[in-house]
Amino acid sequence: MTTSAESKTVLVTGASSGIGEATARRLAGLGHRLLLGARRTVRLASLAEELRAGGSSVVHRELDVTSLDSVHAFAAAGIEEYGRVDVLINNAGVMPLSPIADLRIAEWEQMIDVNLRGVLYGIAAVLPHMQRQGGGHIVNVASTSGHRVDPTAAVYCATKFGVVALSEGLRQESRDVRVTVVSPGFTQSELTHRGGSAESRAAARAAAERLAIPASTIADAIAFAVDQPMQVDVNELIVRPTAQG
């Protein structure tokens, strides 16, 4: 394990797989202290145990980002364990794709609740603490879908456009708290494995299998932003496969 110039307490949502898991591995390797959250606690516990066995300071907690109480308890657990929260990585997300005409309203609501409301809940849970301690860093994982719109992804894109807008608004309001939005393109993850129409899911999986970059690539981008000096705010990073149109 290497050691970062400044070890920070980092909370990661959606940490049981994909970008969240890769980010946990990368930041643990840099010597940061981690609290990992996700719904799938068995996978989460296994990851935390593996990282601790490698000498990292890692704890985990069940987390449902659609519940304000759950998110507040998650942040409180970080403060209780480590005494402070330096960084929140709002990573949890879902992407059930389908044409709007399919009227998959329950899936629309799920995307709004996880992708947008979950980010807002995360901010609400840590921002007062960061303001009191005189600094902090909120990293919101958006998507290249927050910069363009594609058929079958309209609602997903709307939530990610929202994350980009929210991040920029928070950045403009903040002087002590840094704000970074990271927008991945096709990345190896489980986003295309569940929900949506069968045709849309198959098309997304085929594109991902052809183009996707490793989740560790996004983790490296997040680590770059986190490890900048406090007076440096990396506001936006877009990381996509070279071959992605």
Side-chain angles (χ1 to χ4, degrees):
M1 181 179 69
T2 58
T3 302
S4 174
E6 179 187 356
S7 182
K8 298 173 183 176
T9 296
V10 184
L11 277 54
V12 184
T13 75
S16 61
S17 66
I19 291 171
E21 178 184 353
T23 299
R25 293 183 183 279
R26 183 74 175 103
L27 296 181
L30 290 170
H32 296 295
R33 303 174 298 274
L34 302 180
L35 170 60
L36 308 180
R39 292 173 300 162
R40 294 178 292 184
T41 54
V42 173
R43 295 178 64 165
L44 200 60
S46 177
L47 173 61
E49 182 178 355
E50 177 189 340
L51 295 176
R52 283 194 297 269
S56 299
S57 178
V58 181
V59 293
H60 70 280
R61 183 182 179 95
E62 183 176 6
L63 173 64
D64 176 4
V65 299
T66 69
S67 164
L68 182 58
D69 288 343
S70 179
V71 179
H72 272 297
F74 180 64
I79 297 169
E80 181 179 357
E81 179 70 26
Y82 297 118
R84 60 186 289 120
V85 172
D86 298 303
V87 184
L88 168 67
I89 300 173
N90 274 317
N91 166 72
V94 294
M95 190 182 72
L97 303 177
S98 64
I100 292 175
D102 282 4
L103 300 181
R104 293 176 176 262
I105 295 172
E107 291 183 343
W108 299 352
E109 292 174 341
Q110 180 192 28
M111 282 186 278
I112 293 167
D113 286 345
V114 175
N115 298 352
L116 186 54
R117 201 188 309 272
V119 170
L120 282 164
Y121 285 172
I123 292 169
V126 302
L127 186 59
H129 171 77
M130 289 179 175
Q131 290 173 327
R132 285 193 298 269
Q133 71 186 13
H137 191 179
I138 295 173
V139 179
N140 296 327
V141 178
S143 169
T144 52
S145 294
H147 301 267
R148 57 176 287 171
V149 181
D150 295 298
T152 76
V155 178
Y156 178 74
C157 292
T159 64
K160 293 302 186 176
F161 267 79
V163 171
V164 172
L166 173 63
S167 302
E168 174 60 11
L170 180 60
R171 183 197 68 78
Q172 292 186 27
E173 294 175 5
S174 302
R175 291 300 176 265
D176 296 323
V177 177
R178 301 190 297 172
V179 182
T180 301
V181 59
V182 179
S183 296
F186 280 112
T187 303
Q188 293 171 5
S189 73
E190 298 180 3
L191 273 181
T192 59
H193 291 193
R194 294 182 298 274
S197 69
E199 182 179 354
S200 300
R201 186 167 61 249
R205 292 188 69 172
E209 289 170 4
R210 186 175 71 255
L211 297 172
I213 53 179
S216 60
T217 307
I218 310 304
D220 289 343
I222 292 172
F224 169 77
V226 167
D227 277 346
Q228 296 303 303
M230 286 307 298
Q231 69 270 25
V232 177
D233 189 356
V234 178
N235 302 141
E236 186 167 5
L237 291 165
I238 301 177
V239 185
R240 58 162 62 91
T242 304
Q244 182 176 342

